[in-house]
Amino acid sequence: MFPTDPVSNLAALIRCPSVTPAEGGALAALEAMLAPVGFKVDRVVAKEPGTPDIENLYARTGGEGPHLMFAGHTDVVPVGDEAAWSRPPFSAAIAEGEMYGRGAVDMKGGIACFVAAVARHVEKHGAPKGSISFLITGDEEGPAINGTVKLLEWAAARGERWDACLVGEPTNPDCIGDMIKIGRRGSLSGRITVHGVQGHAAYPHLADNPVRSILQLAQALMDPPFDDGTENFQPSNLEVTTIDVGNTAVNVIPAKASAAFNIRFNDRWTAESLMAEIVARLDRAAADSALRPGRAPARYEIVWNERPSHVFLTRNNALIESLSGAVEAVTGRQPQLSTTGGTSDARFIKDYCPVVEFGLVGKTMHMVDERVALADLETLTGIYETFIARWFGHAAA
Ligand SMILES: [Zn+2]
C-alpha cells in the first residue's frame, strides 16, 4: 500500500512497542512503508560495550543532489502506569478525533507525516529532483550512544552528504504553526567540592566550615547574570541543582561540602569560554572573606560532567524560508523562529549540514494518554509536502 495516509502510517508505528532500547517492530514497519515509495533501506545495528545493541535505520531515494534529510526516532519512553491510560498505550485507538498511544507526538507522528508527505510528492510529481533520506534512530530517549551520532558516522563513511536536515520532533507549544526551532542553547554541568576541616561546632576557630564556602561559591555562580540574551537567544541561565553536605550531627562542623549546577547558555559563549568564566568567579568567591573572616582562600575543586552540548544557530535562509513559508501557506500563521528548550539530536546533525526542527504539538509528550489530533496529522503532512516542493524548488533555482 502506498503510504499517503499519515493516520494509518502512525497506527502501524504506535502498535509496535518500541520502548528504548527495543526495536519493537517499529523500524520493520517503517521499512515496509518506505520500500514501495522507492527507498533503499539499511538497518544499522550500533554496539558499544556496556550498552544494549540498538537498531537504527537509514533510507534514501535518489542518487543525485540536492539531498534533503529527515531525522527522527522510533523509540519511545516507557508508558508509566498503564492502568492510568484511558486507552491502551500501544493500541492506536481513536476517540473524538484523536489517536492515543505512546509516541503519538514524540515522535512517531512526525515520521508518519513525513512518510505520507514524500509518498504524496512522489505520487504527484514522480521521484524527487534530488535525494531524500530518512535517518531514524532507536536510541534517542535512552543514553543516545548508539543512535544518531553513530548512524551519521556510518552514513558519512559511506559517502553520504546532505544539504539540509529537518528534524521532526514536536516543536509547537499549543498549535501547529507556532514554532520552528532554528538552533539550540548549549548545556554544561559541573560539581564543586569544598574541603574544610572537621571539628566541634562550639570551637569553630579549630575547624574550617566548608558550608560557609559552598554558599559563597554557589552565590557567585548565580549572581551576576551571565548575559542578558542575544539577538536569537534568551539569557544564559545557571541553576544550582543540589547542595550536599550529608551531615547528620548538629554539633559537628563537616569536613566537606559539594554543589552541582547546570547552565543553559547562548551564543555569547562557547563551552570553553564559559568554563573559564565560571572558574574565575569561583576563584574570586573562594578568596572572598565575607563569610570566613581572616581565613585563607577556600580549597575547592571542580569536576565538569559528561561532554557539554554546544550551542548552535542555523543561518541557512533557503531551509528556514522553505519551512516557514510552508507553515504559512498551509496554516496561515507565521511561525516563531526559536532557540528555546532543551537539547535535541539536532546538536549532532549540525556538524554535517544546516538543520531545523518542526513537528507536532508537544503538549502530551511523555505523559499518560499521549495523543494527537487527526486533523494535526493532516496539517503537518500538508506542511511537510509543501516544504519538500519549496526546498527542492529553492535548491534548483
Ligand atoms: Zn523525541
Side-chain angles (χ1 to χ4, degrees):
M1 199 182 75
F2 218 59
T4 49
D5 177 20
V7 175
S8 53
N9 292 351
L10 179 55
L13 292 172
I14 285 180
R15 290 187 188 117
C16 304
S18 52
V19 177
T20 331
E23 184 269 334
L27 294 178
L30 179 57
E31 180 171 4
M33 291 172 210
L34 291 176
V37 187
F39 281 84
K40 181 186 173 302
V41 181
D42 282 293
R43 303 272 290 276
V44 185
V45 178
K47 300 168 187 281
E48 180 89 19
T51 65
D53 291 359
I54 296 285
E55 277 203 62
N56 302 291
L57 178 148
Y58 184 75
R60 176 171 178 166
T61 183
E64 305 289 307
H67 187 174
L68 176 67
M69 182 213 296
F70 176 85
H73 61 92
T74 50
D75 62 321
V76 295
V77 296
V79 300
D81 179 9
E82 190 161 345
W85 286 68
S86 60
R87 308 283 185 293
F90 299 109
S91 66
I94 294 174
E96 286 161 24
E98 294 181 304
M99 181 179 286
Y100 285 70
R102 179 53 87 224
V105 295
D106 183 12
M107 61 159 276
K108 287 175 172 175
I111 295 174
C113 293
F114 202 82
V115 170
V118 176
R120 290 179 190 185
H121 182 90
V122 168
E123 207 171 53
K124 286 179 201 156
H125 311 286
K129 293 182 178 40
S131 299
I132 297 178
S133 57
F134 281 77
L135 187 117
I136 305 294
T137 172
D139 189 28
E140 200 272 344
E141 303 284 14
I145 291 169
N146 291 313
T148 297
V149 173
K150 288 195 173 170
L151 194 54
L152 284 164
E153 286 169 359
W154 173 89
R158 295 182 1 144
E160 293 291 295
R161 297 291 179 268
W162 307 274
D163 298 295
C165 174
L166 171 66
V167 175
E169 291 280 6
T171 51
N172 296 288
D174 292 305
C175 349
I176 299 247
D178 286 339
M179 187 178 284
I180 295 172
K181 303 244 171 158
I182 57 163
R184 294 279 185 159
R185 292 178 296 173
S187 175
L188 176 68
S189 307
R191 179 175 279 275
I192 318 158
T193 302
V194 177
H195 299 280
V197 176
Q198 188 178 323
H200 197 302
Y203 301 89
H205 56 289
L206 300 176
D208 182 3
N209 191 348
V211 175
R212 290 174 179 266
S213 307
I214 204 76
L215 292 175
Q216 277 192 274
L217 296 186
Q219 167 86 23
L221 291 180
M222 293 183 283
D223 182 43
F226 284 82
D227 55 66
D228 50 11
T230 65
E231 186 191 349
N232 294 288
F233 287 87
Q234 62 202 110
S236 300
N237 181 63
L238 184 145
E239 290 297 324
V240 173
T241 49
T242 182
I243 293 182
D244 303 297
V245 181
N247 187 8
T248 54
V250 292
N251 58 352
V252 173
I253 290 171
K256 68 176 183 179
S258 71
F261 63 88
N262 173 257
I263 178 164
R264 302 296 167 126
F265 60 95
N266 61 37
D267 57 353
R268 158 86 177 69
W269 305 92
T270 63
E272 294 70 28
S273 69
L274 195 55
M275 286 180 186
E277 165 68 14
I278 286 170
V279 168
R281 285 183 179 216
L282 293 174
D283 284 346
R284 276 199 302 276
D288 180 350
S289 59
L291 292 181
R292 298 167 64 248
R295 301 273 191 175
R299 290 178 299 132
Y300 82 91
E301 64 198 41
I302 183 163
V303 176
W304 300 102
N305 274 9
E306 60 204 54
R307 285 164 292 178
S309 292
H310 296 282
V311 56
F312 76 93
L313 178 68
T314 296
R315 294 189 184 275
N316 185 291
N317 288 334
L319 177 57
I320 294 170
E321 282 165 17
S322 302
L323 182 54
S324 107
V327 170
E328 221 178 324
V330 173
T331 67
R333 308 175 60 217
Q334 202 171 7
Q336 189 192 343
L337 305 180
S338 170
T339 58
T340 55
T343 60
S344 79
D345 276 359
R347 72 189 192 269
F348 306 123
I349 298 166
K350 66 110 170 45
D351 295 334
Y352 293 84
C353 64
V355 53
V356 292
E357 301 172 66
F358 185 75
L360 287 163
V361 175
K363 263 185 198 161
T364 60
M365 59 187 173
H366 295 208
M367 289 171 64
V368 162
D369 278 347
E370 181 174 348
R371 61 195 183 277
V372 61
L374 303 185
D376 282 1
L377 294 173
E378 191 52 47
T379 302
L380 184 61
T381 301
I383 292 170
Y384 282 164
E385 190 187 351
T386 308
F387 164 69
I388 290 167
R390 284 179 178 233
W391 187 80
F392 280 102
H394 252 291

